[in-house]
Amino acid sequence: MHWKSKMAHWLEYLPPEDPLSMELQIEPQPEDCFYKDLEFGTAGMRGRLGPGTNRMNIFTVRKAVAGLAKHIIELGQDAMNQGVALAYDCRHKSPEFALESAKILGMYGIRTYLFKELRPTPVLSFAVRHLGAAAGIMITASHNPPEYNGLKVYGPDGAQLPPEAADNIVKKIETIESEFSFDRPDEKELQQQGVLFYVGKQIDNAYLDSLTTIQLNKKFSSDLSIVFTPLHGTATHLVRKGLAGAGFYKVTFVKEQMHPDADFSTVESPNPEEHSAFELAIEYGERVDADILLATDPDADRLGVAVKNNQGQYTVLTGNQIGALMLHYLLKKKRLPCNGAMINTIVTSDLGRAIAFDFGVKTLNTLTGFKFIAEKIAEFEKTEEYKFLFGYEESYGYLIGDFVRDKDAVQAAVFIAEVAAFYKNQGKSLYEGLMDLFEKYGYYQESLQSIQLDGKDGARQISRIMDVFRNDPPEIINDIPVLVLEDYLTSESTHIPSGIKAPIDLPKENVLKFKLADESWFCIRPSGTEPKCRFYFAVKGETMSDSQEKLSLIEKEVMGQVDSLLDYVSSGI
């Protein structure tokens, strides 16, 4: 259906006084609201709030959840009885979307366990496993700006959906003729019918009990000084409880950011990857001379960390650096099985691999996305070939205990506090601990560049970038030969000088990775949830200055090629 026809259908159905109708009538880019349907994939769906098929609103949520309901019905009555765990975060419309999801599921006779108040994403993952549910729904847009919301769907293992299940749900969604056709029961009816149950503290308590199992040393002194901020999100209660349960009581909370706020009013972005998100935490840290600053994103699946450097100034660590510190401590202190394995992604630093190798631990790479790490954990459970020890990705996601099957900032906050206490007992800061790792394993440095290209034209530009780098790969970057192109869409690795190809044993995804002769690499990956294209860069140097110079040069050359390509596409040549 043409976008204008879709828009006319919406305006015909919606009363003129409906907020979505009123918003649509003044929308400056109506085509973008309707030119496609909001895509549903293994990560669910995510988009801007607003009217239209390409926006997050009550109608697109109903349609997506109806697709999930049909999928569950196809699995059988047992799955319907096992039901769906359902949670939401602090964003605009999150409570409404959660309740509407429960109503749609109830309409199809599927039991729902709905959290009474907002909860972190990892607690939803835990709840699916704890309740033995057939699926889970988390209403969140993670760390996106305030104008976004989303819907993540989880399978019975507490992990985000595998491709087969997501594809089946998409097929079910496509059978629904109209998003306006649902006759949902109300909340009281669902409770009377025994298909809607509210949950809360009992799940929290079970989660906190499991959280104690990741602690490796319970004898640390409790004088580690911590500043914590949830960046207006969901982590306050559980991080507070988790730190106290691990013996950390000297915690200062950033009071301006402790309460949920859908507008994230004190930060430009509620993303702990952004250094600006730590501005208030740094002020608090300087006031109390804190050893470590911790920040979680709104749905508490990502953790950022800041520590004092050798000049006494707080510096925000990268996700790769935090992961390396946690991994090294865990392998040093944990009794290691003979078949232990660490899992990370194809765009994660090679520092983790070097640490794991030093301890005789296998490193397994997955595609970007924690669902692939969770998939590997499930595979380990079936085959017993490996024992899961640790999983992480560069985008501030970590997993220590596998009682959760998505990245977990609550776990990570408690565990990195223990790592910091370990170094403090040695008379060192966490930053000095990181420098020790660099000195031993090499000066690994990484960076990420991201370009946002909105709408239909943006999608065309991103597609053009991928086509050019795929079909005409660079042979030299910064006078360093490019040796290998790994194309994860074709599942082929090509040795560029010889043209020899080898298979890649990973699921297909539109990602390109280029490996250079000096162990540097860069990777190009369009986002699956945002109108962005991401460029990952990684180098290894003999000194910090050497690695930083290498990183700057490779980044400058690759992004220069991208800018030239975008200029060419924009010119219409």
Side-chain angles (χ1 to χ4, degrees):
M1 191 185 296
H2 191 271
W3 73 267
K4 288 185 178 179
S5 300
K6 289 183 180 180
M7 180 173 169
H9 177 60
W10 275 59
L11 288 173
E12 180 183 356
Y13 174 84
L14 294 173
E17 66 276 10
D18 186 284
L20 287 175
S21 178
M22 295 170 67
E23 190 176 342
L24 189 54
Q25 292 178 55
I26 60 171
E27 168 62 47
Q29 295 180 306
E31 181 180 2
D32 195 58
C33 296
F34 289 98
Y35 84 94
K36 66 173 184 175
D37 290 352
L38 202 60
E39 294 177 8
F40 186 97
T42 56
M45 65 183 193
R46 189 184 304 177
R48 289 176 177 272
L49 290 160
T53 59
N54 191 33
R55 294 288 186 268
M56 282 293 297
N57 52 65
I58 210 77
F59 301 105
T60 52
V61 167
R62 287 174 184 169
K63 196 170 181 179
V65 175
L68 171 64
K70 289 173 178 283
H71 170 72
I72 293 172
I73 290 169
E74 193 171 78
L75 296 176
Q77 189 63 49
D78 285 348
M80 295 173 67
N81 292 339
Q82 288 169 336
V84 177
L86 215 166
Y88 58 93
D89 71 0
C90 58
R91 288 180 174 272
H92 293 293
K93 301 293 183 181
S94 281
E96 292 91 335
F97 291 168
L99 184 56
E100 282 298 320
S101 298
K103 289 179 179 179
I104 292 291
L105 292 167
M107 184 183 81
Y108 285 98
I110 296 169
R111 187 173 296 172
T112 303
Y113 299 94
L114 177 61
F115 278 91
K116 287 183 178 179
E117 299 94 16
L118 54 79
R119 286 297 189 282
T121 287
V123 172
L124 183 277
S125 172
F126 176 84
V128 172
R129 297 173 60 80
H130 182 74
L131 294 167
I137 297 174
M138 180 71 199
I139 306 295
T140 179
S142 191
H143 58 286
N144 284 75
E147 61 269 20
Y148 281 76
N149 210 331
L151 179 152
K152 293 181 182 178
V153 180
Y154 290 78
D157 61 347
Q160 291 183 41
L161 290 177
E164 300 79 18
D167 290 345
N168 191 43
I169 291 171
V170 170
K171 289 177 183 176
K172 304 301 182 193
I173 293 171
E174 289 171 350
T175 67
I176 299 167
E177 291 187 8
S178 173
E179 50 270 86
F180 304 122
S181 61
F182 300 109
D183 184 18
R184 299 111 45 242
D186 65 29
E187 185 179 354
K188 287 185 178 179
E189 283 181 80
L190 293 173
Q191 289 179 287
Q192 289 169 356
Q193 293 168 11
V195 292
L196 175 59
F197 300 88
Y198 282 99
V199 295
K201 289 184 180 179
Q202 67 271 38
I203 304 292
D204 294 348
N205 292 336
Y207 173 86
L208 289 167
D209 286 344
S210 296
L211 193 61
T212 63
T213 64
I214 70 171
Q215 195 169 1
L216 298 179
N217 190 334
K218 301 186 179 183
K219 297 180 181 178
F220 285 133
S221 62
S222 60
D223 67 343
L224 185 78
S225 177
I226 302 169
V227 166
F228 171 68
T229 172
L231 298 177
H232 300 294
T234 61
T236 300
H237 172 69
L238 289 172
V239 168
R240 188 195 303 267
K241 288 278 191 180
L243 288 172
F248 298 106
Y249 300 103
K250 199 174 178 182
V251 183
T252 301
F253 298 94
V254 180
K255 63 180 181 180
E256 296 91 337
Q257 298 173 337
M258 296 308 291
H259 298 292
D261 176 2
D263 293 316
F264 311 112
S265 54
T266 67
V267 291
E268 289 183 15
S269 168
N271 185 356
E273 294 181 71
E274 304 289 343
H275 291 202
S276 61
F278 276 87
E279 285 181 2
L280 270 175
I282 288 173
E283 288 181 19
Y284 274 72
E286 290 172 344
R287 203 178 304 159
V288 300
D289 192 26
D291 297 301
I292 185 171
L293 317 179
L294 306 176
T296 54
D297 69 342
D299 69 323
D301 64 352
R302 297 174 188 235
L303 175 78
V305 176
V307 293
K308 283 186 178 179
N309 60 20
N310 292 337
Q311 288 73 48
Q313 298 175 324
Y314 286 106
T315 183
V316 179
L317 302 183
T318 69
N320 285 310
Q321 291 167 351
I322 298 165
L325 283 161
M326 289 198 285
L327 174 66
H328 183 264
Y329 173 76
L330 184 147
L331 298 184
K332 189 180 182 72
K333 293 295 180 183
K334 192 177 181 72
R335 181 177 294 177
L336 300 177
C338 61
N339 62 341
M342 181 272 289
I343 312 171
N344 61 17
T345 77
I346 59 172
V347 295
T348 305
S349 169
D350 291 325
L351 175 56
R353 179 182 293 273
I355 293 169
F357 180 80
D358 188 36
F359 284 89
V361 168
K362 178 77 171 178
T363 296
L364 297 174
N365 289 131
T366 70
L367 294 177
T368 305
F370 229 85
K371 59 181 173 287
F372 296 111
I373 293 177
E375 192 177 71
K376 280 292 180 187
I377 298 172
E379 184 182 304
F380 295 171
E381 290 175 338
K382 288 179 183 177
T383 66
E384 298 184 351
E385 182 180 4
Y386 296 109
K387 175 71 175 175
F388 172 73
L389 295 175
F390 185 68
Y392 76 111
E393 58 185 7
E394 79 301 329
S395 56
Y396 291 70
Y398 322 95
L399 191 62
I400 303 101
D402 63 2
F403 50 89
V404 168
R405 295 299 168 90
D406 203 349
K407 51 187 177 282
D408 186 347
V410 180
Q411 276 193 48
V414 174
F415 196 73
I416 196 65
E418 183 175 332
V419 180
F422 165 75
Y423 282 109
K424 184 167 185 176
N425 280 10
Q426 294 183 330
K428 294 181 178 181
S429 68
L430 196 61
Y431 183 85
E432 289 169 324
L434 178 63
M435 294 304 109
D436 287 348
L437 297 186
F438 285 150
E439 185 66 27
K440 182 171 184 178
Y441 297 106
Y443 287 82
Y444 290 85
Q445 293 288 301
E446 301 80 32
S447 67
L448 170 64
Q449 293 285 336
S450 184
I451 55 175
Q452 182 159 333
L453 299 163
D454 293 308
K456 236 178 2 179
D457 288 341
R460 181 173 63 90
Q461 289 174 308
I462 291 172
S463 178
R464 178 63 176 162
I465 290 169
M466 297 303 291
D467 287 345
V468 169
F469 275 89
R470 173 173 284 119
N471 299 320
D472 188 19
E475 296 181 0
I476 294 178
I477 295 290
N478 247 10
D479 297 326
I480 306 297
V482 180
L483 295 185
V484 176
L485 164 58
E486 293 178 347
D487 188 338
Y488 293 88
L489 187 62
T490 63
S491 298
E492 281 187 334
S493 173
T494 304
H495 184 256
I496 291 177
S498 67
I500 296 173
K501 297 181 182 294
I504 297 174
D505 186 22
L506 284 175
K508 292 182 183 295
E509 189 170 278
N510 189 19
V511 178
L512 300 171
K513 186 174 183 178
F514 299 84
K515 295 182 176 180
L516 281 61
D518 65 347
E519 297 187 66
S520 301
W521 56 261
F522 70 95
C523 187
I524 310 176
R525 174 181 168 265
S527 171
T529 55
E530 303 170 82
K532 291 182 178 181
C533 191
R534 294 191 170 98
F535 302 83
Y536 303 82
F537 303 91
V539 300
K540 178 186 177 183
E542 295 182 2
T543 64
M544 182 66 81
S545 58
D546 176 42
S547 63
Q548 288 173 341
E549 183 180 3
K550 278 186 175 184
L551 187 63
S552 175
L553 291 171
I554 188 174
E555 197 176 53
K556 182 178 180 182
E557 179 151 343
V558 172
M559 294 313 295
Q561 291 185 21
V562 172
D563 288 342
S564 297
L565 182 57
L566 290 176
D567 289 343
Y568 178 85
V569 174
S570 298
S571 69
I573 298 174

